[in-house]
Amino acid sequence: MNDQNQATAPTAPTAPTAPTITYQSAELLLTVVQKEYDSEDERSKILDTRVNIFLPVSVALLAFIASFLKLTDITKKKVNNVMDALPQTLFIVFAILSIVILLIAIIIFIKVISIQKYKRLNVDDITDDMLRYESDKTAVGLVRLYKENTKFNTEINNKKVRLYQLGIYLISVSITLAVIMYIFYINL
């Protein structure tokens, strides 16, 4: 009877356990974001390769145009009136314009190559404690990092593309001016 009369100590109510949040699609999203990140990295390499082609072309074109600028040949021709001086004047104007535009294109191409660095994942930030995290939660963290870095790198690549297109346009204008200059050179 003693057992029935004993009072039992009340037990503390248990706190409801928070549901464990799982990120079931985190690893799939990580794969997608990594592909986008890699795509931006590849895009950068392609732009750099293209610039590395057009930069020497610009320098060669600059040397070609400069080889025609022999002022002694231009000043040898006798000028009797203003109309006789027109071809020489236009030759000089087109040569100078072509050279200036080419120099600007070269500066732009150098800027494309030396533009701001890309954001990368810093592997030094990975600690031994992180290796103990659940894979879905680690994937979520990586998705966020890759997403942030990809956005940043996309903006840099977009700047590079705009500058590259401007450089190509300037080279085209310079080539056109050089052809016109050459036509005047032939008629000197």
Side-chain angles (χ1 to χ4, degrees), residues 5-170:
N5 290 339
Q6 270 187 335
T8 57
T11 58
T14 57
T17 57
T20 304
I21 299 173
T22 58
Y23 302 97
Q24 295 173 354
S25 62
E27 291 185 27
L28 175 65
L29 289 174
L30 178 59
T31 305
V32 170
V33 175
Q34 282 175 326
K35 285 181 182 177
E36 285 300 313
Y37 178 87
D38 292 340
S39 173
E40 284 303 317
D41 194 43
E42 186 64 27
R43 185 175 169 217
S44 169
K45 290 175 186 172
I46 290 169
L47 281 169
D48 288 346
T49 301
R50 288 182 180 176
V51 168
N52 286 329
I53 291 169
F54 281 102
L55 193 55
V57 167
S58 302
V59 172
L61 185 58
L62 185 63
F64 174 75
I65 293 169
S67 71
F68 285 99
L69 289 178
K70 298 176 185 161
L71 292 179
T72 55
D73 292 345
I74 296 170
T75 56
K76 283 182 184 178
K77 186 172 181 182
K78 290 199 176 209
V79 178
N80 296 329
N81 58 37
V82 174
M83 290 307 287
D84 287 344
L86 189 60
Q88 289 126 328
T89 305
L90 289 175
F91 168 77
I92 292 170
V93 168
F94 283 114
I96 290 172
L97 280 174
S98 186
I99 288 171
V100 168
I101 290 172
L102 265 176
L103 289 173
I104 293 170
I106 289 168
I107 290 168
I108 286 173
F109 286 140
I110 290 171
K111 189 173 182 177
V112 169
I113 292 172
S114 62
I115 206 161
Q116 190 174 1
K117 297 288 181 198
Y118 292 102
K119 277 191 174 181
R120 304 271 182 224
L121 296 179
N122 189 356
V123 293
D124 292 334
D125 290 343
I126 298 174
T127 64
D128 288 341
D129 288 340
M130 291 178 179
L131 298 173
R132 294 185 195 101
Y133 295 163
E134 295 174 28
S135 65
D136 61 337
K137 292 180 182 174
T138 302
V140 167
L142 287 172
V143 164
R144 289 180 181 137
L145 283 173
Y146 272 113
K147 181 181 173 187
E148 177 186 319
N149 291 352
T150 302
K151 280 183 174 181
F152 181 84
N153 295 349
T154 299
E155 288 176 21
I156 289 176
N157 280 340
N158 290 342
K159 278 186 205 176
K160 284 178 129 180
V161 166
R162 285 190 298 275
L163 287 173
Y164 171 76
Q165 290 172 338
L166 177 61
I168 295 297
Y169 173 76
L170 290 174

